[in-house]
Amino acid sequence: MAIHITGDPAADKVLEESPFALLVGMMLDQQFPMERAFAGPAKVLERFGSLDPAAIAAADPDTFSELCRRPPAIHRYGGSMATRLQALAALVEQRYDGRAERLWSEAATGEELLARVMELPGFGKQKAQIFVALLAKQLGVRPPGWEAVVGDYALEGHRSVADVVDAESLQRVRDYKKQKKAAARSAAT
């Protein structure tokens, strides 16, 4: 299935071709527009020349940070995200032999998959739930029980990046998030 998250066919192709890129895009999806976060792996590939977890983990931290911070940066917090990206790469290299897809292809249940994703640097429960929903909805990765562990992110609609398939669905997700934030602010006052 084709991925259409970034609005840039070349960046989306990187996400399609590299499971690690998809994982990195989700890691970067924090306090930053989602389409720009998911375009981050393409920037790393262009500047660093590789998305190989072993190469990224072994890169000089200062040099790697500089290439992540260089405008346009991979994230508004390019330096801290470069550090987190290297930690993610090291974990994928050590635990999954550099093959990010093993994270989900070897998970027997939705619960196990969620637990594996939550072990990654930068992935709290909500982000892990969204990533599991993205895997299910866009890549067909649906271990038994995945719906239960992701909660409402399994439902039809436009709640998260898991539901983004084009520019229109991206806008619908944005509108949904705005409504949720407005409701939360209203409830707090």
Side-chain angles (χ1 to χ4, degrees):
M1 178 179 247
I3 293 176
H4 301 284
I5 296 172
T6 69
D8 174 354
D12 284 335
K13 188 170 177 63
V14 171
L15 299 173
E16 290 172 24
E17 293 178 350
S18 169
F20 185 66
L22 192 63
L23 196 58
V24 170
M26 189 73 222
M27 183 203 74
L28 294 172
D29 187 14
Q30 172 183 328
Q31 300 178 345
F32 199 56
M34 73 182 83
E35 68 275 18
R36 290 182 56 204
F38 279 88
K43 289 177 189 164
V44 172
L45 178 59
E46 178 186 318
R47 296 171 187 180
F48 187 66
S50 173
L51 285 173
D52 175 58
I56 291 172
D60 174 73
D62 293 332
T63 303
F64 191 74
S65 177
E66 190 280 321
L67 76 84
C68 289
R69 289 181 286 121
R70 182 181 331 139
I74 67 165
H75 193 276
R76 69 190 281 193
Y77 302 114
S80 62
M81 287 301 179
T83 301
R84 188 175 286 170
L85 174 48
Q86 286 194 286
L88 177 65
L91 187 146
V92 168
E93 179 60 27
Q94 293 162 4
R95 193 166 299 164
Y96 301 104
D97 298 320
R99 295 183 49 226
E101 69 275 13
R102 287 185 53 205
L103 181 79
W104 52 88
S105 67
E106 296 175 0
T109 65
E111 191 172 281
E112 180 184 354
L113 177 54
L114 183 68
R116 285 171 169 228
V117 176
M118 286 178 62
E119 292 175 343
L120 302 173
F123 283 77
K125 184 174 182 181
Q126 184 179 27
K127 184 180 281 202
Q129 288 175 310
I130 293 169
F131 189 68
V132 171
L134 184 148
L135 292 172
K137 291 180 173 184
Q138 300 216 22
L139 299 183
V141 176
R142 297 178 175 170
W146 76 269
E147 298 101 325
V149 300
V150 303
D152 285 353
Y153 295 112
L155 301 174
E156 291 297 318
H158 297 91
R159 290 173 175 75
S160 74
V161 70
D163 303 306
V164 175
V165 295
D166 56 24
E168 180 184 340
S169 57
L170 173 64
Q171 188 57 52
R172 287 184 172 188
V173 168
R174 279 209 175 98
D175 294 344
Y176 175 80
K177 288 182 173 190
K178 277 184 190 175
Q179 291 170 355
K180 293 293 277 186
K181 285 181 182 178
R185 279 193 301 272
S186 179
T189 57

